[in-house]
Amino acid sequence: MSCFFIKDHVEATVREEIEKICWGCGLRLLLPSNAPIFKCGWCGAVTNQRAQKRKDKSLWWRRWRDRCFVSVVSLFMLCILCGGVWAVHPVVFSISYISGIFHCLVTAVLAVSTFTTFGLAAFCCAGRPPNIQWGSYPVVGKGDLEDYTFCLYCCKPKSPRSHHCRSCGMCIEDMDHHCPFIGNCVGATNHRHFIIFLISTLISTVYVTIMCSYAGWHIWPPLRFTSLAHPYTLASGSTSRVVRELSHALLGSAMLLSTRGIILVYLIVSSVSVQIGLTILLWQQLCYIYEGETYLSHLSSGADGGSGGRDCQNLVRFFGCPYSFSRHLPIFRSSRKRHRK
């Protein structure tokens, strides 16, 4: 007699735990799956197994590019300063001796302020992250490396607010961007110097435009009209002819300009062009500071729309104003951190 025993086949999923080592504290972690990104429960360090170190063969070219930009910007500022002083001072001193002295003092103050802040922004370290102990469990305490990642280029921990700059070859704390015109990154250490440099340069270019326009008005050759008895007499239907005559008169008088007049025209055009670019850049930077962000943090939070830490005291803390001044400003939303990553 045959007996058949029917056995129920039960399918069960067996979770296989994978052992990984945390780079921050050296502890062995048991992960439920082969996750490419995981976080240590003890020190808080984040490990990204997909991160790869890319070979950068253009580092030397970037550094030479930055040095060339710094040299060009320095020569341009010197040309604006020397050319403006040489072209404007005869007209200013012809008004009165006191006006000439005042012009020289203003020029000296603006020049010293611009070149000093430019040197601080260009040649000071942008913000090297502080050294922190890592790699050993007895040394690394609980939460000491919270949200830290490992920089494959510097071979050391990188804080959430840091970013590795390939042009500078180092990690920068609170990095905003790498500016080739100063040949340096804009970070936690020199960000304030960079903003003051933009403000000082903008004020200087406005002053150059005003003084060169005033001097050019006095030395511009008189306009000569060919067919109109009076240039400002507009009869009906003669507007286009008046505009044409004015254009011809301006071009004819421009041909008679001296070397001083040509330099004044160049200074006006160049300073106005610089003002447009600086105004846009300064407004963008101040908006990011007002929102408690940097340019890179703004890009990273662009997909989320940003968490919104807008506060006038972000500007006050950025420029280092005392609390007695900041408490009189309106508070739209409290924000403890200056930058958000």
Side-chain angles (χ1 to χ4, degrees), residues 194-248:
F194 179 73
I195 297 298
I196 298 177
F197 166 68
L198 294 181
I199 297 175
S200 178
T201 307
L202 183 60
I203 296 175
S204 300
T205 52
V206 171
Y207 183 75
V208 168
T209 303
I210 295 175
M211 296 306 298
C212 290
S213 300
Y214 179 79
W217 175 264
H218 284 77
I219 69 172
W220 194 274
L223 302 180
R224 297 180 180 180
F225 300 94
T226 56
S227 58
L228 291 179
H230 198 281
Y232 304 103
T233 304
L234 298 179
S236 58
S238 62
T239 304
S240 60
R241 189 179 66 175
V242 171
V243 172
R244 185 169 59 253
E245 290 291 336
L246 283 174
S247 302
H248 291 167

